[in-house]
Amino acid sequence: MADKKPLTIRLCGPRGFCAGVDRAIQIVVLALKKYGAPVYVRHEIVHNRYVVEGLQARGAVFVEELDEIPAEHRNQPVVFSAHGVPKSVPADAENKNLFYLDATCPLVSKVHKQAMRHQRLGRHVILVGHSGHPEVIGTMGQLPEGAVTLVETIEDAEAYVPQDPDNLGFVTQTTLSVDDTAGIIATLQRRFPALTAPAAESICYATTNRQDAVKAAAPGCDLFLVVGAPNSSNSKRLVEVAERSGAAQSLLVQRASDIDWDFIGDIAVVGLSAGASAPEIIVDEIIQFFSERYSVTIDLAETTIETENFHVMRDLRDVELTSGDMAFVNGSR
């Protein structure tokens, strides 16, 4: 150890899987145990390639559309991803006589209900989110075409001209940056004083908690690493939060092999977090990689302890889920 430079890793808590992601992966694992392979999954169950490949190795088959499921497998279950789907998707599944399991995160489902409540009460719905994100597509697909306007930026909020400024309600994508969203909503509220907020906060507790932990850990970090996928909205927001909160540099990595040791230069303090769809086993992998090069001290930067747990649907509750079933993402813990 004498020839290794000292390195402090500020390990954020909470980090990694949220209750909604954990539930979605459990649904696929339990469906494979109960019904056998193949189990079909429409789109990535969560935005993480390691998780997707781990489930593929166990017999999951990922498809973009339900038409890709062959006729001979129409009795096998198809799982809808944690991001949620438009109403047209379960309707299509029913028309095709498919057996489906909806793994939509309960907090995303809550946003769907809030949007539908706005419309039921005669309000045009403003959705603050990112165009093309599966969650945004799913939320907009809960209401008739034209009933929802997507606002992505403060500039969008300034430019928006509604038909009826006195009857507007808003919801937000669950995985956005709290700070960025606040600016957009403040702009909308200034322009439209009658704008109605959702009955409860749309940005999920896990997004907020992970951002708070990064804010606490980032000051003084020479490098901040966020484990997550390039198409993971909440992971990319964590990178931005780390940079705004004082980290000298912040990077999104999918695996330890993504770390460019020449690029990161001379470092003494590294922040480490993981997006809500990133497995703990990769966090362990990265710590091990640093330990091979540095004399590592772990400093836990914990801002809260999460106790939320979302149960799987009744169809799967008769199947035992063991720690071994989830070891491919959770490691040996």
Side-chain angles (χ1 to χ4, degrees):
M1 298 292 288
D3 59 343
K4 292 183 179 180
K5 290 184 178 181
L7 179 73
T8 297
I9 294 180
R10 290 184 188 162
L11 185 60
C12 288
R15 66 182 177 278
F17 284 174
C18 62
V21 164
D22 202 32
R23 173 181 178 268
I25 296 168
Q26 288 179 22
I27 287 170
V28 180
V29 169
L30 290 172
L32 284 163
K33 289 186 76 171
K34 182 169 183 175
Y35 303 106
V39 166
Y40 288 87
V41 185
R42 184 185 179 274
H43 293 175
E44 291 186 338
I45 186 68
V46 296
H47 280 158
N48 189 274
R49 176 49 47 184
Y50 181 94
V51 172
V52 168
E53 290 175 353
L55 291 171
Q56 284 175 324
R58 285 156 179 78
V61 177
F62 289 82
V63 296
E64 287 302 303
E65 299 300 340
L66 301 181
D67 291 340
E68 298 173 46
I69 300 174
E72 63 269 24
H73 290 161
R74 289 290 169 96
N75 291 328
Q76 289 295 105
V78 56
V79 180
F80 301 153
S81 81
H83 306 105
V85 294
K87 282 185 174 180
S88 58
V89 173
D92 186 31
E94 290 169 6
N95 288 336
K96 290 180 166 64
N97 293 317
L98 294 173
F99 167 42
Y100 67 85
L101 299 167
D102 189 352
T104 300
C105 171
L107 298 181
V108 174
S109 295
K110 184 178 74 171
V111 173
H112 292 176
K113 292 172 184 174
Q114 291 169 345
M116 289 187 284
R117 181 175 185 273
H118 280 318
Q119 193 213 22
R120 189 171 66 250
L121 295 174
R123 302 171 191 140
H124 182 82
V125 179
I126 298 172
L127 171 59
V128 180
H130 293 142
S131 177
H133 190 279
E135 184 185 326
V136 166
I137 294 169
T139 300
M140 295 185 76
Q142 302 306 304
L143 299 177
E145 188 171 351
V148 184
T149 296
L150 180 64
V151 171
E152 297 189 74
T153 63
I154 289 177
E155 290 74 21
D156 288 346
E158 290 284 8
Y160 175 50
V161 180
Q163 288 187 333
D164 185 356
D166 294 327
N167 284 291
L168 299 171
F170 77 87
V171 294
T172 72
Q173 183 180 331
T174 63
T175 55
L176 298 180
S177 161
V178 178
D179 297 334
D180 288 349
T181 307
I184 296 170
I185 292 170
T187 301
L188 290 168
Q189 289 172 329
R190 172 179 54 79
R191 295 193 63 221
F192 312 113
L195 179 68
T196 302
E201 174 61 68
S202 293
I203 295 177
C204 84
Y205 76 91
T207 299
T208 302
N209 288 348
R210 279 149 191 72
Q211 290 178 14
D212 286 346
V214 168
K215 288 177 184 177
C221 284
D222 303 304
L223 171 68
F224 206 105
L225 295 178
V226 175
V227 181
N231 60 339
S232 168
S233 174
N234 78 87
S235 299
K236 290 193 290 186
R237 301 295 82 75
L238 291 178
V239 174
E240 296 165 359
V241 169
E243 290 175 343
R244 286 201 299 258
S245 301
Q249 55 181 334
S250 183
L251 300 174
L252 183 70
V253 294
Q254 297 190 77
R255 300 293 300 272
S257 56
D258 291 347
I259 300 170
D260 184 341
W261 300 103
D262 295 328
F263 172 77
I264 63 178
D266 190 23
I267 53 174
V269 181
V270 172
L272 179 58
S273 186
S277 48
E280 183 69 8
I281 199 168
I282 299 181
V283 174
D284 293 342
E285 175 188 276
I286 287 172
I287 292 172
Q288 179 59 34
F289 261 54
F290 275 106
S291 297
E292 292 169 2
R293 293 163 175 79
Y294 297 89
S295 176
V296 169
T297 300
I298 302 294
D299 180 10
L300 185 61
E302 189 170 63
T303 52
T304 190
I305 297 175
E306 292 177 349
T307 58
E308 287 79 6
N309 180 42
F310 298 147
H311 295 294
V312 300
M313 61 279 297
R314 294 184 186 278
D315 287 344
L316 298 176
R317 290 181 194 172
D318 60 337
V319 185
E320 181 187 10
L321 183 75
T322 68
S323 58
D325 292 329
M326 297 293 286
F328 76 104
V329 286
N330 293 337
S332 57
R333 63 180 174 88

